[in-house]
């Protein structure tokens, strides 16, 4: 089936109902009601819709009385409707479903209603590997999926990668969700891999693009930059030192093939990273419990396996389920005919957890950081040239650097009587990290404030009073669209004789100040030989949080990463 711009236009329509005419009339003995009882509606992903419609026309021209109606619909919408959590509660449920990926199945089956009707056949209609779409001429000679990982781990100052990799919204596009799973796989297993993956989600690599149109716009921007051109630098036109590398986007191979059949700019190449990849697999799924319609669903599956369907799929830039590409599948259109190796199908439970991690990251953090400036923070860190304050400031700056732009962060310092009779003092008020403040941003202001923080002589550690004040402020200013948290950075125990509240009073007051509709978590990060881990754990547990402690201040960075992981995925972190 030759490819045309009309096919591209149809693909971009989002949801389009196509009623395929019935060419075979029902026999007089069966009656029209009998035909209706056997007829089915198939919801197909727009990218495969034209081939499924063609198959339906052949089926309807046969001897069967049943009729197949094809409805092009985005898989994310169908998954939500089948689970009963869609935005249109009265939406008509299809009898069969061909999403672009099996990744949607655990999402559709996440409720009892969805699990009761979504029954995969185990058959795949087509496949399209995930690739990196890069401007032609800008693909590195070698690459792997570690390009997806953040190079912004605090204190690492990693080298700039050859490509800046972006992906589509994982909640709406299977290629985006697949990109997260590829990043998780590239990060590796265990706590180290999980930390790398969590940081990646919070970094600017986690800023998802809304759709393919935006993806190609971003690719074009990078290709148009003179400093990104292989021949663009010269003595009179040197590359900018701060320029970003070309942009690559995780897309389906089909998307690159189709882009190559238009006159759209820039020309794009599919980069097949070393190692194995995931692929869109277009599963055939029954979504009806009616026995008569189930038979039609099974009958139509045989039509989808016919050679005519295979030709139609290849004419859309898709491969057959076993990876065979069409005759014009070559470098002219930015692709290669050889099928890449594939990773095993992702574990459905892990798919749900990773998507949940992404959604928590999208919310961003609303973080009040409470920094200890008591005299002990001037003590040296053994085997380093830093004081405890300097070591803590470096870690805090790295943490602020990781957080997404939509996060809201404030900074308080505490010791004793820093503001009249108050033991705490606001240094930086809550703002979104991307907000402009003076000549810079809120993020820049926080970084400067941490660098300037210094222990206050002749003070003590009024930890309990300050924690309670910070918690009350966080509850009062709660933002429902963020993860609200108070982060305590300290090297000591509560000590302010004659003035401080007791631990029991603090726990009682935290319970009184708590609001179920405004949940705020306290996360203590404590280090050094003078801490009281038991008290900190009780404070954290009172608000559903967790304390992270270490005797060695040099390990604060890893402790901060543990905290970040918990913010990202709660208590259900996937460890592999």
């Amino acid at each position: 089936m030759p490819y045309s711009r009309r096919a591209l236009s149809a693909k971009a329509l989002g949801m389009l109902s196509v009623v395929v005419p019935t060419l075979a009339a029902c026999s007089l003995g069966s009656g029209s009601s009998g035909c209706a009882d056997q007829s089915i509606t198939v919801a197909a992903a727009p990218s495969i819709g034209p081939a499924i419609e063609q198959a339906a026309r052949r089926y309807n021209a046969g001897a069967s009385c049943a009729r197949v109606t094809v409805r092009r619909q985005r898989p994310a919408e169908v998954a939500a409707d089948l689970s009963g959590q869609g935005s249109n509660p009265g939406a008509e449920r299809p009898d069969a479903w061909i999403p672009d990926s099996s990744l949607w199945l655990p999402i559709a089956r996440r409720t009892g209603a969805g699990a009761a009707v979504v029954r995969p056949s185990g058959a795949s209609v087509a496949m399209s590997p995930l690739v990196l779409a890069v401007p032609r001429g800008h693909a590195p000679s070698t690459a792997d999926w570690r390009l997806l990982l953040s190079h912004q781990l605090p204190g690492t100052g990693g080298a700039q990668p050859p490509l800046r990799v972006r992906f589509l919204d994982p909640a709406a596009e299977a290629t985006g969700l697949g990109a997260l799973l590829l990043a998780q796989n590239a990060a590796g297993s265990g706590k180290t891999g999980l930390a790398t993956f969590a940081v990646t989600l919070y970094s600017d690599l986690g800023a998802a693009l809304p759709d393919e149109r935006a993806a190609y716009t971003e690719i074009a921007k990078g290709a148009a930059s003179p400093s990104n051109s292989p021949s663009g630098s010269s003595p009179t036109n040197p590359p900018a030192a701060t320029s970003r590398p070309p942009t690559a986007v995780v897309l389906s191979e089909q998307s690159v093939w189709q882009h190559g059949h238009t006159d759209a700019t820039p020309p794009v190449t599919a980069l097949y990273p070393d190692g194995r990849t995931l692929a869109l697999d277009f599963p055939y799924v029954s979504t009806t419990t009616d026995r008569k319609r189930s038979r039609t669903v099974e009958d139509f599956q045989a039509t989808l396996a016919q050679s005519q369907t295979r030709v139609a799929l290849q004419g859309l830039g898709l491969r057959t389920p076993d990876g065979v590409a069409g005759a014009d599948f070559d470098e002219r259109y930015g692709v290669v005919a050889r099928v890449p190796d594939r990773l095993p199908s992702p574990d459905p439970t892990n798919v749900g957890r990773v998507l949940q991690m992404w959604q928590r990251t999208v919310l961003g953090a609303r973080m009040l950081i409470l920094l200890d400036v008591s005299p002990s923070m001037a003590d040296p860190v053994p085997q380093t040239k830093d004081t405890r304050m300097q070591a803590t400031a470096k870690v805090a700056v790295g943490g602020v650097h990781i957080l997404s732009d939509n996060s809201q962060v404030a900074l308080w310092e505490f010791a004793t009587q820093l503001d009249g009779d108050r033991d705490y003092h606001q240094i930086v008020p809550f703002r979104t990290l991307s907000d402009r403040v003076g000549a810079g941003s809120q993020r820049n202001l926080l970084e400067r404030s941490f660098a300037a923080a210094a222990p206050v002589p002749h003070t003590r550690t009024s930890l309990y009073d300050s924690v309670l004040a910070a918690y009350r402020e966080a509850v009062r200013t709660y933002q429902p669209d963020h993860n609200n948290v108070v982060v305590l950075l300290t090297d000591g125990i509560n000590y302010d004789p004659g003035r401080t509240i007791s631990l029991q009073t603090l726990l009682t007051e935290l319970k009184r100040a708590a609001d179920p509709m405004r949940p705020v978590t306290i996360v203590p990060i404590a280090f050094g030989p003078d801490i009281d881990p038991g008290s900190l754990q009780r404070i954290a547990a009172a608000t559903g949080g967790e304390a992270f402690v270490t005797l060695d201040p040099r390990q604060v960075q890893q402790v901060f990463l543990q905290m970040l992981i918990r913010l990202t995925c709660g208590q259900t972190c996937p460890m592999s």
Side-chain angles (χ1 to χ4, degrees):
M1 173 179 171
Y3 189 80
S4 66
R5 290 193 189 183
R6 181 172 299 175
L8 262 185
S9 299
K11 179 177 180 293
L13 287 178
M15 184 193 299
L16 173 66
S17 294
V18 179
V19 179
V20 184
T22 303
L23 302 181
C26 297
S27 65
L28 292 176
S30 64
S32 60
S33 62
C35 293
D37 289 345
Q38 302 173 48
S39 297
I40 65 170
T41 297
V42 179
S47 55
I48 202 174
I52 306 306
E53 291 156 15
Q54 185 184 112
R57 286 193 289 270
R58 292 200 312 276
Y59 183 89
N60 291 342
S64 173
C65 178
R67 170 180 178 169
V68 174
T69 299
V70 178
R71 186 173 72 219
R72 297 188 202 178
Q73 192 170 357
R74 296 178 62 199
E77 296 172 353
V78 181
D81 289 342
L82 291 172
S83 71
Q85 297 179 331
S87 58
N88 184 9
E92 178 186 358
R93 192 175 71 195
D95 302 291
W97 180 30
I98 308 176
D100 55 3
S101 173
S102 294
L103 297 177
W104 294 115
L105 303 188
I107 296 171
R109 292 172 56 86
R110 60 191 164 189
T111 64
V117 298
V118 177
R119 295 178 294 171
S121 67
S124 173
V125 178
M127 68 90 79
S128 186
L130 298 190
V131 299
L132 289 175
V134 301
R136 192 163 298 179
H138 292 274
S141 56
T142 60
D144 58 43
W145 287 114
R146 284 179 292 182
L147 285 171
L148 283 166
L149 302 177
S150 172
H151 293 259
Q152 298 181 20
L153 283 167
T156 61
Q160 182 168 264
L163 295 171
R164 180 180 184 233
V165 181
R166 306 288 302 277
F167 46 83
L168 304 189
D169 181 358
E173 302 290 344
T175 57
L177 182 52
L180 292 187
L181 293 165
L182 285 168
Q184 183 195 30
N185 183 72
S189 59
K191 291 184 178 180
T192 300
L194 186 56
T196 301
F197 183 52
V199 171
T200 293
L201 290 178
Y202 269 100
S203 74
D204 65 349
L205 294 177
L209 298 167
D211 51 38
E212 287 189 3
R213 181 176 180 180
Y216 286 109
T217 298
E218 286 297 310
I219 294 171
K221 288 179 182 178
S225 172
S227 62
N228 287 332
S229 172
S231 59
S233 59
S234 68
T236 58
N237 183 30
T242 58
S243 64
R244 280 184 168 176
T247 295
V249 182
V250 181
L251 295 173
S252 70
E253 183 186 61
Q254 178 196 26
S255 176
V256 174
W257 184 92
Q258 290 185 346
H259 184 82
H261 279 74
T262 72
D263 56 1
T265 56
V268 169
T269 296
L271 175 60
Y272 299 80
D274 297 337
R276 295 179 293 175
T277 186
L278 294 174
L280 304 184
D281 60 342
F282 297 90
Y284 187 65
V285 183
S286 173
T287 54
T288 183
T289 56
D290 183 89
R291 285 187 297 174
K292 292 182 179 180
R293 293 184 180 181
S294 293
R295 285 196 293 268
T296 305
V297 170
E298 293 176 5
D299 290 345
F300 185 54
Q301 183 177 346
T303 303
L304 297 176
Q306 294 173 350
S307 60
Q308 299 97 314
T309 304
R310 180 176 67 248
V311 172
L313 292 169
Q314 293 172 334
L316 294 174
L318 293 167
R319 296 174 182 264
T320 60
D322 56 357
V324 178
D328 66 343
F329 213 83
D330 54 43
E331 293 181 359
R332 291 174 299 168
Y333 306 112
V335 296
V336 298
R338 183 183 64 84
V339 62
D341 294 333
R342 293 172 61 180
L343 288 165
S345 298
D347 173 62
T349 301
N350 187 51
V351 171
R353 287 175 177 171
V354 167
L355 182 58
Q356 185 181 55
M357 289 176 71
W358 162 258
Q359 290 168 335
R360 289 172 68 92
T361 304
V362 170
L363 290 177
R366 180 175 172 84
M367 184 180 294
L368 196 165
I369 301 177
L370 189 59
L371 177 64
D372 188 345
V373 292
S374 61
S376 60
M377 291 291 281
D379 291 350
V381 177
Q383 302 179 31
T384 75
K385 297 181 180 180
D386 290 336
T387 65
R388 293 180 182 180
M389 178 63 75
Q390 291 168 331
T392 304
K394 288 179 180 179
V395 172
V397 168
V400 170
H401 185 60
I402 289 171
L403 294 175
S404 55
D405 283 346
N406 62 331
S407 293
Q408 300 174 2
V409 181
L411 173 62
W412 287 13
E413 294 178 346
F414 78 95
T416 51
Q417 296 181 298
L418 295 184
D419 183 11
D421 288 335
R422 291 181 177 178
D423 298 325
Y424 51 88
H425 176 61
Q426 176 179 275
I427 303 300
V428 180
F430 272 119
R431 296 189 191 94
T432 301
L433 288 178
S434 59
D435 284 355
R436 302 301 299 176
V437 182
S441 66
Q442 173 79 346
R443 195 190 301 270
N444 300 143
L445 177 58
L446 285 162
E447 291 171 351
R448 292 195 303 271
S449 299
F450 277 116
V456 179
H458 312 299
T459 61
R460 295 183 292 274
T461 309
S462 184
L463 192 151
Y464 295 166
D465 293 308
S466 301
V467 166
L468 179 57
Y471 183 76
R472 285 171 171 168
E473 177 66 9
V475 171
R476 186 185 70 82
T477 62
Y478 176 85
Q479 293 291 318
D481 55 347
H482 286 73
N483 295 318
N484 292 251
V485 59
V486 173
V487 176
L488 168 66
L489 297 173
T490 184
D491 73 335
I493 62 174
N494 182 70
Y495 180 71
D496 188 17
R499 297 184 68 251
T500 183
I501 61 175
S502 66
L503 174 61
Q504 188 56 53
T505 299
L506 171 60
L507 298 176
T508 300
E509 291 300 317
L510 288 175
K511 183 177 180 179
R512 181 176 291 123
D515 183 343
M517 302 304 294
R518 294 172 168 240
V520 174
T521 301
I522 297 176
V523 180
I525 297 179
F527 52 90
D530 303 322
I531 58 176
D532 180 3
S535 297
L536 295 175
Q537 289 290 4
R538 292 182 67 185
I539 293 169
T543 61
E546 181 179 356
F548 297 91
V549 299
T550 177
L551 294 178
D552 187 351
R554 292 172 295 177
Q555 299 300 316
V556 173
Q557 176 174 305
Q558 294 305 315
V559 171
F560 193 95
L561 288 176
Q562 292 177 42
M563 183 272 292
L564 185 64
I565 290 169
R566 288 303 176 199
L567 284 181
T568 307
C569 56
Q571 300 298 318
T572 59
C573 292
M575 293 304 294
S576 61

